[in-house]
Amino acid sequence: MTNHWIDIKNADCIMIIGSNAAENHPVSFRWVTKAMEKGAKLINVDPRFTRTSSKADIYAPLRSGADIAFINGVMNYIIENNLYDKDYLVDNTNASFLVNEKFSFKNGLYVGYNKKKKKYDKKYWRYQLDENGIPKVDRTLQNPRCVFQLLRKHLSRYNLDEVSAITGTPKHLLLEVAKIYGATGAKGKSGTIMYAMGTTQHTVGTQNVRSYAMLQLLLGNVGIAGGGINALRGESNVQGSTDMALLFHILPGYLKTPRVEDQSLKQYLEHWTPKSADPKSANWWQHTPKYMVSLLKAFWGEHATKGNQFAYSYMPKVSENYSHITMFEAMYDGKIKGLICMGQNPAVGGPNVRKEKKALEKLDWLVAVDLWETETASFWATPEVDPKKIKTEVFMLPAAASMEKEGSITNSGRWMQWRYQAVHPPGDAKSDLWILDKLAKQLKKLYKKDGGAFAEPIVHLNWNYGPKEEPNVHLVAKEINGYDLVTGKLVPSFGKLKDDGTTSSGNWLYCASYTEKGNMAARRDPRDATNKIGLYPNWSWCWPVNRRIIYNRASCDLKGNPHAPHKYVVKWLADEKKWVGDVPDGGWPPGTRHSFIMKPEGHARLFGFGLADGPFPEHYEPLESPVKNRMSKTQINPVTKVWRGAMNEIGNKKKYPIIATTYRVTEHWQAGQMTRNNAWLVELMPDMFVEMSKSLAKSKRIKHGDRVKIKTARGEITAYAVVTERFQAFKLNGRLYEQVGLPWHFGYKGLAQGFSANILTPHVGDANTMIPEYKAFLCNVEKEV
Amino acid sequence: MKLSRRGFLKVTGAATTGALLGNFAFNRKSSEAYAQTLRTRYAEESTTICPYCAVGCGMIVSVSRGKVINIEGDPDHPINQGSLCSKGSALFQVANNDRRMTKVLYRAPYSDRWEEKSWDWTISRIAENIKKTRDANWVGKDSKGRVVNRVEAIGALGGAALDNEECYLWSKLARALGIVYLEHQARI
């Protein structure tokens, strides 16, 4: 989230799209309700009428997989009807920047597409630069090569009739959404967007999010109270686990994973440290060398020296994509021999789970750490497999629950909050910290004693978390914050980190979280800040540097006057020469630095040349879709990798004419371990079901409560039919298409058992992130006889 | 200084961290304090954050004789102000649940059952497996002779349910081992 949960109360209009906040983040709705009590409007866009929809002023049904068409249509309306915030665009975004003359778009493809490689050469996706290397601008936004005019041209194809034929959203509702949400473009008004996996789990997931962010920029809604682009993240610490980089492509604090081209530390830093010729650009990532060297010092301590490039060679180098789907494809092909699963249950939660379970059978060994016996740990004991034919050695380790250990987690609003140990874990169960500590020490011992392939990174690993049986979690938290290695003191903030090896920090973004003043995440001061917008600056701590609303310089004009004085985030006191309110995005006086400090050009990108699939969002159909793409002959995202071969069948609309999507229910959580073993919750939500419209049920002679089969090209499941008004057929291209919905929590372990919806989902992912396309695929349903 | 119940909670919490951050003793309404005293009168209390979704609701855990006897929303927490959803309200059943794993279980190759093992045996065996797989599949250089220092035969999955400090240690250890198939729930 750019903003945070409480800040939702400051919005004048809230658009919840691709999220069912009322059911899946129920307490977030407390703040939606507070806003509505003050007169805010709620818009909900979703294929299904949910409990969120039931509270909305406008419910706009949207066929799964058509978000870009929807948002592009809304943006087109906003531009053509002058609802956008022009001053904001010019001051804060690249709207006025001129783009290379050779940049173009035709037949659903941007210039530079290589059909064979399914990849873009992005050399023309660039700004025009002046003689000093600074992007040329036209602050009137009239130049036909400026981003604003190129965007306007791109969006002009998305008129509301066209959009309605793609999305299935009735035109009058599109118009209403565009007008009401567009009204937040007025000065002093704010609109917020709340989204979740309904947005991201598509082959165009990244561009879906981008389209929302662009809409927010057009309306001047980023950096302000009651605004922002707000991901409702689903797991209690999925923000923290991302920050700590349990992902192949990043290192802690969003530093880039070294690539094979980055052979030396010098090459790495040259490659990944952005440069800017613009003196008004803060270009924050220019500090990359300080953060990277400090990270290497945290990892390898005294063994990271100037002489050995701070042990840079110890860090593995990647040359391809190693994301979830790729991992399971490699496992299926026998290339992965061992897997360590820390509280994840891919046998329920992964896409195309029949294939992912088959892949587990190819492992020599599997370690599964969890509170419960999961479908993943016991994949060899399912009815359809013969354990005597499965070679895998499996270790199932009992883990401690959240109240049985001490440490911090980071919520969606970036608040790092400390938890205390209340009781000991049951039986032999141990904290993950204990397990990792024991394992690391044993590996260090083994490699020290026997040597082995490149033993140095393990033997030299900086690993000292106290003399006790349970590692000291405070020592770990302090290492993450970082030290001044000369004085031995904790560094007060990332401004003090250096690239000469005299500082360490396990994650520069968490610098200032645990300082000589104490553990900031444990703070419980209930007082609000002077601007009284619900920042609670001394309750817990948030990254970066306790800034509760990021990009907040954009909430003011170039003199530091807030656009919304009644709910200002920051403001400049000219007499005292200081900012008050939230922690500003840098303390420089107003107008001396551009507001989007993380971008080398200092401006938010309406034209986003960093993405794999285009600088503007363009509608493409999901991999499996019942309709042809109306916008161009390019049917699916042209740079998405489509896996073929064994167990990767793709369904066609003839055999599988019905759109399907997956979702969650309030009473269960993710792959189910934490709720399907809980009697109270199981009583509330006992079994697997499929939700469908009355018209579909009628045509298939299905009654509410019948057992039905749901089939896709990947597999077949059975579930109870829930026949409901909540789904209605969508009118696309003048024809009606049905959609069904399936909760994905179930499996064959636990108190509540049922078929996993992910037996049905495909192994295909977003072109940028490889997040699986769980939210739009094709199926058929029939009554079980 | 006379401490209210919440103030007391705060101070015990801060004392655990070894650093006292400010001092805020609150005056709750006496009726509220009384109503809450009834259920957990002799219990020790600590605060926690809900382990389900990422709203980050505050909770109070009450413990008596080493057992969790109650978990409820923390009324002082600015995000949830005491409220919880159905999952959060049921967290008590995670703390007290016969279905929890309490032993290390091991399934030998081609076996059809679990067997109990000790932690010492298990940690050594897992470390040996990691070392064996890593050493046998180590890639020091790629086909063009460039240094890559990685192992592609070991996968690491999961972490969104772990604490930050646990995630950090896992991130650090996995990199030291050269693991590149390093993924978790955030991807999917």
Side-chain angles (χ1 to χ4, degrees), chain A residues 141-183:
Chain A
L141 303 183
Q142 295 305 311
N143 188 312
R145 294 310 293 176
C146 81
V147 166
F148 183 75
Q149 291 300 334
L150 291 173
L151 174 65
R152 178 180 210 161
K153 189 176 154 203
H154 185 79
L155 295 177
S156 65
R157 299 150 58 234
Y158 291 86
N159 66 65
L160 295 185
D161 289 309
E162 191 62 42
V163 170
S164 178
I166 296 170
T167 58
T169 314
K171 190 181 169 187
H172 73 275
L173 288 174
L174 286 168
L175 193 63
E176 222 177 317
V177 171
K179 278 184 180 165
I180 290 179
Y181 201 73

Side-chain angles (χ1 to χ4, degrees), chain A residues 48 661-665 689 691 727 741-745 775:
Chain A
R48 184 174 60 118
T661 193
T662 61
Y663 55 80
R664 301 190 290 136
V665 299
F689 60 88
E691 233 175 313
F727 267 113
L742 303 128
W744 65 270
H745 307 289
K775 288 292 183 272

Side-chain angles (χ1 to χ4, degrees), chain B residues 12-112:
Chain B
T12 50
T16 322
T17 71
L20 220 57
L21 298 160
N23 193 355
F24 296 94
F26 320 85
N27 293 314
R28 312 293 309 182
K29 284 180 197 153
S30 59
S31 58
E32 192 180 349
Y34 175 71
Q36 295 193 358
T37 306
L38 287 177
R39 269 185 287 168
T40 54
R41 189 163 179 177
Y42 301 107
E44 294 163 32
E45 294 180 332
S46 59
T47 56
T48 191
I49 302 295
C50 183
Y52 288 107
C53 84
V55 171
C57 295
M59 295 168 151
I60 295 171
V61 185
S62 301
V63 173
S64 178
R65 294 182 198 152
K67 285 204 70 125
V68 173
I69 57 162
N70 187 53
I71 299 178
E72 64 190 56
D74 179 353
D76 289 343
H77 197 284
I79 293 175
N80 61 313
Q81 300 175 328
S83 63
L84 293 174
C85 75
S86 52
K87 287 189 290 291
S89 305
L91 185 63
F92 176 82
Q93 284 201 336
V94 170
N96 296 286
N97 194 313
D98 292 342
R99 303 181 62 82
R100 282 282 299 277
M101 298 276 307
T102 58
K103 296 280 177 197
V104 178
L105 296 182
Y106 174 71
R107 184 259 181 188
Y110 308 106
S111 166
D112 62 356

